[in-house]
Amino acid sequence: MEPLASRIRPQDLAEFVGQAHLVGKGKPLRVAIEKKELFSFILWGPPGCGKTTLAKIYARALGADFYELSAVDAGKDDIKKVLGTARHGKTLGFEKQKVLFVDEIHRFNKAQQDFLLPFVERGDLTLVGATTENPSFEIIAPLLSRCRVFVLQSLTETEMALILQRTKMKISKSAEEWLARMADGDARQALTTLETAQKLYGKITVETLKEAIQSRHLRYDKKGEEHYNTISAFIKSMRASQPDASLYYLARMVDSGEDPIFIARRMVIFASEDIGLAQPTALVVANAVFRAVETIGYPECAINLAHGVAYLATCKKGRESYDAYLEAMEDVKEHGNLSIPMKVRNAPTKLMKELGYHKGYNFYDKESYLPEKLEKKKYLKGEK
């Protein structure tokens, strides 16, 4: 039997739930569909938010032939078959617009994307790609430049409830609310869990739903967008001295199997970049955490990470040393290799000494050792 998610898939925008910023009245994708505007585009968003459904609604509205491929297992030969079918129709005199939907298009390698490019350029087919990964990183620039990008959002719990109600299944309010929360904006996951519970137990309750799903795994790709979003939130929370938020994002990364060495390495960087001289022991603690993580590993090293995160988040913050370095680097870039004062040059040979290298050097010297052009510069603010 066809899966529940497919059976109740919306056929037009009137039935579609979510993504109001794209398909609401006057919004870009709705206008394009209503005007039957033909163009290639990428749908970028999390799993189960409606990417495939929108692609099918678009093709149906245009009256186009719809071809669907998954980049996970498709290749050049599959694209050639689509083009061959389209050319056959043209030969027989019933040419129609062709929409090729490529699910998980980020899985196509560069060669496959290069192969697809000329057919999109010539208009042999209209490409609609779906991806959970940032297209800027995963789609080659020439192909991306020929596509519009629409960013989809996770479905809200209210939107999830509307979708669940469309199944016409008997489900209690508490079970509906639990499932909407559990699915984390993924309609496909919610519908699959619902269908499994119904088939296995004949009734839908919170308990049967929990049995059906067994475990919940957070959506987190260690090479993708969510990876960078989470580590960014983690660092910014420590920077803002918010230990609760810092520990929460740490827990998300640990639960998702993030490499603990990666987390600890970022903490060591943070200790100097954002705390620095304000509390110099931060670097000592961060390095100790790094060493503990190297030695112990999961699961116990999560305790060391939590210890370090709580400490770093509550430390005084100061970027003086890092900002001073950046300012000094600007002068290096602008002025190049300025002449180093003679008194602080090394003098390993007799000739160098005769030329004045190291002459006049005094350990207690108060004169600037900077090159003459920069001798009045103060990079480290507050320095006397």
Side-chain angles (χ1 to χ4, degrees):
M1 180 185 293
E2 188 180 15
L4 176 62
S6 297
R7 297 201 304 272
I8 69 165
R9 187 187 299 278
Q11 300 300 301
D12 53 39
L13 289 181
E15 298 177 350
F16 188 81
V17 176
Q19 314 308 328
H21 64 295
L22 295 179
V23 299
K25 186 176 180 180
K27 298 303 180 181
L29 198 48
R30 175 177 283 275
V31 172
I33 290 172
E34 290 175 344
K35 291 186 175 181
K36 297 179 169 52
E37 183 181 349
L38 192 65
F39 63 98
S40 293
F41 57 91
I42 303 291
L43 297 170
W44 171 28
C49 66
K51 297 186 292 294
T52 302
T53 299
L54 280 176
K56 291 186 174 183
I57 289 174
Y58 175 74
R60 189 176 295 110
L62 267 60
D65 287 333
F66 184 78
Y67 304 92
E68 183 173 358
L69 297 176
S70 172
V72 174
D73 53 18
K76 293 180 182 179
D77 289 341
D78 299 285
I79 298 172
K80 289 177 181 177
K81 287 178 183 177
V82 170
L83 291 165
T85 302
R87 291 192 184 110
H88 179 66
K90 185 175 182 178
T91 302
L92 295 178
F94 53 83
E95 181 184 13
K96 292 178 68 177
Q97 294 169 336
K98 287 83 62 180
V99 172
L100 171 62
F101 174 66
V102 181
D103 194 19
E104 299 192 75
I105 192 170
H106 59 276
R107 298 292 188 92
F108 268 170
N109 59 36
K110 184 180 183 298
Q112 291 169 315
Q113 293 184 41
D114 281 333
F115 179 78
L116 188 58
L117 179 61
F119 304 112
V120 175
E121 285 183 312
R122 292 196 301 263
D124 291 341
L125 51 81
T126 297
L127 173 67
V128 179
T131 178
T132 57
E133 305 298 329
N134 190 328
S136 302
F137 303 142
E138 306 296 340
I139 310 299
I140 60 172
L143 185 58
L144 189 60
S145 69
R146 288 159 179 80
C147 299
R148 300 184 195 180
V149 176
F150 295 113
V151 181
L152 283 71
Q153 301 169 351
S154 292
L155 297 171
T156 65
E157 291 183 19
T158 300
E159 291 165 343
M160 291 291 296
L162 290 173
I163 292 172
L164 293 174
Q165 289 164 15
R166 290 191 59 213
T167 66
K168 307 299 183 183
M169 290 185 175
K170 188 177 180 181
I171 177 172
S172 68
K173 188 67 176 176
S174 59
E176 179 184 287
E177 291 174 350
W178 183 87
L179 186 54
R181 288 195 305 271
M182 179 283 307
D184 194 24
D186 186 337
R188 188 184 303 109
Q189 183 184 12
L191 293 171
T192 300
T193 303
L194 186 68
E195 186 175 29
T196 302
Q198 178 65 43
K199 287 180 178 178
L200 292 178
Y201 303 104
K203 60 180 180 178
I204 300 167
T205 65
V206 173
E207 289 69 27
T208 60
L209 289 171
K210 287 181 178 179
E211 289 296 325
I213 197 169
Q214 292 298 320
S215 64
R216 175 186 180 185
H217 296 284
L218 291 174
R219 191 165 59 237
Y220 187 90
D221 183 343
K222 285 185 279 185
K223 294 184 178 179
E225 177 76 7
E226 200 65 11
H227 162 82
Y228 295 105
N229 288 341
T230 307
I231 194 65
S232 175
F234 173 64
I235 295 297
K236 287 181 173 66
S237 297
M238 289 196 295
R239 183 176 296 146
S241 297
Q242 296 188 22
D244 299 312
S246 305
L247 289 165
Y248 168 75
Y249 290 115
L250 170 66
R252 276 180 60 155
M253 290 188 288
V254 171
D255 185 68
S256 301
E258 178 61 83
D259 182 358
I261 292 291
F262 169 78
I263 301 172
R265 185 182 301 120
R266 294 305 301 265
M267 290 167 64
V268 172
I269 296 168
F270 178 86
S272 288
E273 181 179 350
D274 288 281
I275 298 174
L277 299 178
Q279 198 158 335
T281 51
L283 183 58
V284 178
V285 172
N287 271 298
V289 170
F290 187 90
R291 178 56 181 154
V293 166
E294 276 189 316
T295 306
I296 298 172
Y298 278 147
E300 290 87 352
C301 76
I303 303 169
N304 306 113
L305 287 168
H307 176 182
V309 167
Y311 179 80
L312 296 179
T314 53
C315 278
K316 294 178 181 179
K317 304 302 188 295
R319 293 174 59 93
E320 292 92 345
S321 59
Y322 183 54
D323 289 341
Y325 162 74
L326 293 177
E327 190 176 343
M329 181 59 74
E330 288 179 7
D331 279 339
V332 170
K333 299 292 186 184
E334 181 179 351
H335 301 294
N337 292 333
L338 295 173
S339 179
I340 296 173
M342 295 295 281
K343 68 170 63 177
V344 291
R345 293 189 188 187
N346 189 29
T349 69
K350 181 180 179 181
L351 175 61
M352 286 179 165
K353 290 178 181 177
E354 291 174 351
L355 291 173
Y357 282 54
H358 201 67
K359 184 177 181 179
Y361 172 71
N362 184 330
F363 183 79
Y364 300 101
D365 202 340
K366 296 300 182 183
E367 289 186 12
S368 174
Y369 289 160
L370 283 166
E372 184 178 358
K373 192 169 185 177
L374 302 174
E375 62 184 4
K376 293 184 179 180
K377 267 294 185 82
K378 297 291 183 184
Y379 298 115
L380 190 61
K381 308 310 177 188
E383 179 193 10
K384 295 182 180 179

